[in-house]
Amino acid sequence: MKRNDVALVGRPNVGKSTLFNRLVGSREAIIEDTPGVTRDRIYGTVKFENHIFHLIDTGGIEITKGSFNEEIKGQAEIAIDEADVVLFVVDGKEGLTTSDYSVRDILLKSGKKIIVVINKSDSKLFKDNQYDFYNLGFDNYACISAEQNRGIYELLEMTTKDFKESKEEYDENTIKFSIIGRPNVGKSSMVNAILNEERVIVSDVAGTTRDAVDTPFTYHGKDFVVIDTAGMRKRGKIYENVEKYSLLRSLKAIDRSDVCVIVINAEEGIIEHDKHIAGYAIEAGKAVILAVNKWDLIEDKDKMMKHFIKDIRNQFQFIPYAPIVFLSALTRKRIHTLMPQITKVNENAHREIKTSALNNVITDAYALNLPPTYKNKRLKIYFSNQVNTCPPTFNISVNSKGLVHFSYKRYLENKIRENFDFEGTPIVIQFKSKGEQ
């Protein structure tokens, strides 16, 4: 589904992150905090009445060179490029600064819908500054307090006023998968190998493809769309030093996908950014496959395959269920192993388990390994059922969810996986205390 993009712009300490968290809200954690898996929330999904849109916090997009003002300007220009609506956040308590005017000058030329969001308007000092903000020269103003949740509904009304109703881009039976990974691991080459035709530019220069490219195709009678995200790092002055810009494009592709193929360069091995990208895919609840590319360059393949599998399982401990494929996009060797895996993990992400079968597994698991007591109380499990797919989500009714230890949650997940095929997909387990909806 094509969704509108809304960006938060403004200098530091005006409350962009607070507003971002207020609009996006809390989320069910799919994976615990894992060392080496950084998942900064610079991108989220907002649901308001009949609208769903993407929210980008440009404050999380680090620009490493230039003056303080230049960094803010760079973030504003990224927002203009990406967004349909820009929320220009200013500080109602402190008033306007030269940095605010620098951003104003860029936004006035953008041609985009700009809403000046005057945060901290609950402050007594706001009364002294309130009329100054109208000198910025924009048409739309919203007075809010992100911290106190004031004016948020009105801001959302103003933001979504001109949004058109979102429609599905493809038939619901079409499997959408993205090829994601850091620059220059061979993503475009992999797309070409899958399609067996030159539909995207392939180059040794990282960041050749400017934007994500959708290519629909048919494989064994099934409809697919491959989303090539090789253009994550946009070329040009603004983006040269913006590492997280590539991540922003990656997050958009992840959001639109059913399955994410995370590409690892066999020559270079695993680096931290590979894990970061995988972490975002899992946080989004997407089915994943780890594809080790450039396998044609590896000597003694049998020995190295065992080594790679061991290293991947060690480095990607948070996704032990992800299948691993080894291939060469350049020579097309073993490329035939990828599409069947994409089909399989997509089926697993859509898998629905009968309530009776699930309860049998959970009951047996509980009897086999009773949870420890805490303050003379023991966790009791009453009933389990599946409430969603993509990712498969399970509700487990208990006497008190405060008695659930993360290790016991992991134990139950392992038991579910032992009994039902959820290879490639994260699963969510939600504990509900008795009487809780």
Side-chain angles (χ1 to χ4, degrees), residues 257-262 281-282 284-289 321 342 345-346 348-349 390-391 423-426:
S257 303
D258 301 307
V259 178
C260 297
V261 179
I262 302 154
I282 300 307
K286 305 300 181 177
V288 293
I289 295 166
Y321 51 81
I342 290 171
V345 300
N346 180 68
N348 291 346
C390 301
E423 183 185 21
T425 180

Side-chain angles (χ1 to χ4, degrees), residues 295 298-307:
W295 197 239
I298 302 299
E299 296 180 5
D300 196 354
K301 291 179 173 51
D302 290 339
K303 180 182 177 181
M304 287 305 295
M305 188 177 287
K306 291 177 183 177
H307 169 77

Side-chain angles (χ1 to χ4, degrees), residues 39 45 53-54 74 78 102 105-106 131 145 148 156 158 194 232 298 303-304 306 309 313 330 388 392 397 437:
R39 296 180 305 279
T45 302
F53 62 88
H54 297 144
I78 290 170
S102 295
D105 293 342
I106 298 167
Y131 297 110
S145 170
Q148 301 298 326
L156 286 167
M158 196 180 297
I194 292 168
M232 306 246 235
I298 302 299
K303 180 182 177 181
M304 287 305 295
K306 291 177 183 177
I309 290 172
R313 293 306 180 205
L330 186 65
N388 214 338
S397 176
Q437 295 298 314

